[in-house]
Amino acid sequence: TQLLEQSPQFLSIQEGENLTVYCNSSSVFSSLQWYRQEPGEGPVLLVTVVTGGEVKKLKRLTFQFGDARKDSSLHITAAQPGDTGLYLCAGGRDTGNQFYFGTGTSLTVIP
Amino acid sequence: DSGVTQTPKHLITATGQRVTLRCSPRSGDLSVYWYQQSLDQGLQFLIQYYNGEERAKGNILERFSAQQFPDLHSELNLSSLELGDSALYFCASSVGTLIRGINEQFFGPGTRLTVL
């Protein structure tokens, strides 16, 4: 059983469209990270959020940490083919030395 | 290029066999993490070492073991392999350990293990 559930699992959209990916849990996390993974490569960190309600922007990507620190969202504006990949959220806790990765969202942006 | 290297890139073996996966962390990183990624289980944390010592254990099977050597490279040993062990195995490294759940991990390119 995954602590972090992502939705949707698969997403295929046209270039220029907007999209939102959700990462939900019933558990509280002290930090939430988002990664992007391309085929044949390891995940690459996009952002870390640590405060409930925090919003961070990275060019066309907007990340939000839920007020209760149990969920997060990733919004992409005007998606481009280069955004194609597997998006993973990962939660960290005050105790322990591991991240709990989400189930993943596979995004395909069609030119 | 994350600076983390993993060998081999691909590994094909038979059930019941034993294999060793190798990871070299980024220069200066003391922590090494091992993850397993499969289609049905997603990315699962296996184990973490920090400066040669085991620091955290996740969903690692008893048939699997790991170690970190004085030069900080790490090896993941998988024995009595089963079909279900077929997966991508990633190594990640970071400067230190997690503090309040925060750390930046740099992932290697992975080793794709196929058990026939």
Side-chain angles (χ1 to χ4, degrees):
Chain A
T1 304
Q2 297 283 101
L3 276 184
L4 288 162
E5 295 286 337
Q6 288 182 236
S7 62
Q9 188 177 358
F10 298 97
L11 191 54
S12 181
I13 63 171
Q14 293 291 131
E15 181 177 359
E17 292 184 352
N18 302 332
L19 67 114
T20 302
V21 177
Y22 299 93
C23 173
N24 295 302
S25 176
S26 57
S27 301
V28 176
F29 291 94
S30 55
S31 72
L32 202 294
Q33 297 186 327
W34 284 92
Y35 290 80
R36 181 169 66 215
Q37 183 179 12
E38 298 187 18
E41 299 180 9
V44 175
L45 179 65
L46 296 174
V47 76
T48 301
V49 286
V50 299
T51 305
E54 182 177 1
V55 176
K56 277 192 175 179
K57 292 192 175 183
L58 184 66
K59 297 183 180 178
R60 295 175 294 99
L61 279 60
T62 302
F63 305 86
Q64 183 164 8
F65 201 8
D67 291 340
R69 291 185 290 135
K70 292 182 178 181
D71 55 80
S72 180
S73 64
L74 157 61
H75 183 78
I76 301 179
T77 303
Q80 298 178 1
D83 296 327
T84 293
L86 178 68
Y87 288 81
L88 295 161
C89 64
R93 289 178 158 164
D94 285 345
T95 57
N97 277 309
Q98 62 172 289
F99 281 117
Y100 298 87
F101 277 85
T103 48
T105 294
S106 179
L107 171 66
T108 302
V109 181
I110 303 165
Chain B
D1 185 355
S2 66
V4 178
T5 60
Q6 288 187 248
T7 56
K9 192 164 179 62
H10 299 279
L11 196 50
I12 301 174
T13 188
T15 54
Q17 295 299 304
R18 173 190 170 94
V19 297
T20 298
L21 312 183
R22 183 188 169 103
C23 168
S24 292
R26 291 187 323 155
S27 176
D29 284 358
L30 298 178
S31 277
V32 170
Y33 305 79
W34 285 98
Y35 292 87
Q36 179 192 59
Q37 187 175 41
S38 60
L39 286 176
D40 57 342
Q41 293 289 324
L43 195 62
Q44 299 283 328
F45 168 71
L46 296 178
I47 197 165
Q48 181 217 356
Y49 280 83
Y50 174 77
N51 204 20
E53 294 186 1
E54 181 184 306
R55 275 299 177 97
K57 244 180 180 178
N59 301 321
I60 188 166
L61 299 173
E62 285 191 10
R63 300 183 285 110
F64 296 179
S65 65
Q67 54 183 326
Q68 186 179 30
F69 295 87
D71 67 352
L72 302 177
H73 91 272
S74 179
E75 292 181 355
L76 178 67
N77 300 296
L78 314 176
S79 61
S80 302
L81 286 168
E82 302 174 0
L83 295 177
D85 297 327
S86 295
L88 271 169
Y89 290 84
F90 287 103
C91 165
S93 74
S94 64
V95 171
T97 59
L98 299 182
I99 299 175
R100 294 193 65 237
I102 302 170
N103 204 341
E104 181 170 7
Q105 296 181 42
F106 295 86
F107 282 78
T111 293
R112 181 174 293 281
L113 173 66
T114 302
V115 182
L116 300 176

